[in-house]
Structure formats: structure tokens, C-alpha cells
Amino acid sequence: MTKIEKVLYTGKTHTTGGRDGVARSDDAQLDLRLSPPRSGKPGTNPEQLFAAGWSACFIGALGLAAGKRKLSLPANTAVDAEVDFGVTDGAYLLQARLEVRLPGLDPELARALIAEAHQTCPYSKATRGNIAVELTLA
């Protein structure tokens, strides 16, 4: 396992109540209710938060990959992320799908950027070999 040599940022939250609770960041920029999926209660769930974080990070990694090629990402670059929470043989698991939209880019170039981003994105690194992940170009 590779250890960080220099920490650039630390996200800090305080969560109570689990899937039926509240999560707040130390800087008060995040303050939200949590609720189980399909419960009908107000709030989001951990899978939605993970999908949002991963897709935002992935777009950043796409930008770095494009920058190495002296390119800019299309203004309407987007990642639609889906994170499934499920069970197999009594064990709870996650799996994910990232659908990447790079309108106007040659599909071969777009696929190369996606592959490189998946190698460098910290969320992709953290999940590699741990959960099933599908990447597609929309």
C-alpha cells in the first residue's frame, strides 16, 4: 500500500444516526440528512454521496489527462455515476458504473482519456480490485 507523502486536504465530517442520521462537515459546507434508499424519508444516502464524489473526482482526472495532451475538456463534460448497494451470500457489497460524456471528442481519444483517468482518479484507485466497475463512453 502506498502512503501519502504530503496531505493536500483532509475532509472532515461528523455523522450520527447512520443511514437514518445527519452528516456535517467541520467547515459547515456540508450539512445534510441521511436516509435509507427508497425509505421515502428526506435525505440522501451513502451511495449517492459516493457516486457524487467519484464522478466529480473522475472529471478532475479527465482534465489532467486532457491537459497532458494540451487539450481542454468539452465545457459540457459529464459523468453519470451509479453505485449499487447489494448483497451476495449474506455479505453487503457495492458495484459501480460510470458513464462518461465527452461531446465533440473523437471516440478513440475519449476512450484513452477515460482509461487514463481511471488509472489516476483516487476513487478509482481506492476501489480497484475491490468492487466491480464498468466504464462506458456515452
Side-chain angles (χ1 to χ4, degrees):
M1 172 178 21
T2 304
K3 294 194 72 157
I4 293 175
E5 291 178 9
K6 179 181 178 185
V7 174
L8 301 175
Y9 174 76
T10 300
K12 297 178 184 179
T13 62
H14 178 77
T15 303
T16 57
R19 287 181 174 268
D20 238 336
V22 176
R24 291 185 179 94
S25 62
D26 65 328
D27 63 2
Q29 294 300 306
L30 178 77
D31 187 355
L32 52 85
R33 296 179 79 112
L34 299 169
S35 64
R38 297 186 304 255
S39 68
K41 296 178 182 179
T44 188
N45 60 66
E47 292 72 32
Q48 291 170 327
L49 294 169
F50 193 71
W54 195 350
S55 57
C57 185
F58 202 85
I59 290 172
L62 286 167
L64 290 174
K68 287 181 184 177
R69 293 165 174 80
K70 300 196 185 325
L71 301 171
S72 295
L73 291 177
N76 47 356
T77 295
V79 174
D80 294 326
E82 297 179 350
V83 174
D84 300 324
F85 170 68
V87 65
T88 298
D89 295 327
Y92 294 108
L93 301 168
L94 297 175
Q95 64 186 21
R97 290 170 301 286
L98 302 179
E99 184 178 72
V100 182
R101 298 177 191 285
L102 293 164
L105 287 188
D106 172 75
E108 187 175 321
L109 172 60
R111 284 187 191 89
L113 294 176
I114 291 168
E116 185 173 332
H118 192 50
Q119 292 304 307
T120 60
C121 171
Y123 280 74
S124 294
K125 288 179 181 182
T127 58
R128 186 168 293 116
N130 295 311
I131 68 170
V133 177
E134 292 177 27
L135 300 171
T136 57
L137 172 63

